[in-house]
Amino acid sequence: MSEMKKGNIDVNELYKKIKNGSNAPQSEDDVNKFINENLSESQAKAVKELLKDEEKTKAILNSDAAKALFQKFFGGKGNG
């Protein structure tokens, strides 16, 4: 059973899809499509609910885990 099916998000796999594909999300519609196609229904719902709450989203983006992901994704350029 894949990590996605178990309820965990495989960030490395998502990263590969974004980095290697020309279908990287560019607009809100693209983001929603990407979320729907790459996450389970419950994961997609949770992510969309989170993104609706600006304060929660900011708190997560400022977390150490998010900063580590930004460093991985952008080669140490940070999130700002």
Side-chain angles (χ1 to χ4, degrees), residues 50-80:
L50 171 71
L51 293 174
K52 287 180 185 178
D53 187 324
E54 185 176 351
E55 292 304 313
K56 285 182 183 178
T57 301
K58 284 181 183 178
I60 288 174
L61 290 175
N62 288 317
S63 71
D64 290 340
K67 289 176 185 175
L69 285 174
F70 282 120
Q71 185 171 7
K72 178 178 180 166
F73 287 175
F74 302 112
K77 295 178 186 172
N79 65 353

Side-chain angles (χ1 to χ4, degrees), residues 18-68:
I18 292 171
K19 186 166 178 121
N20 296 329
S22 60
N23 62 343
Q26 301 294 318
S27 68
E28 186 174 342
D29 287 339
D30 288 346
V31 171
N32 282 322
K33 182 178 177 184
F34 184 84
I35 289 170
N36 290 334
E37 290 177 353
N38 291 283
L39 301 176
S40 71
E41 188 176 328
S42 63
Q43 291 169 335
K45 182 180 177 183
V47 168
K48 288 176 186 180
E49 286 298 315
L50 171 71
L51 293 174
K52 287 180 185 178
D53 187 324
E54 185 176 351
E55 292 304 313
K56 285 182 183 178
T57 301
K58 284 181 183 178
I60 288 174
L61 290 175
N62 288 317
S63 71
D64 290 340
K67 289 176 185 175

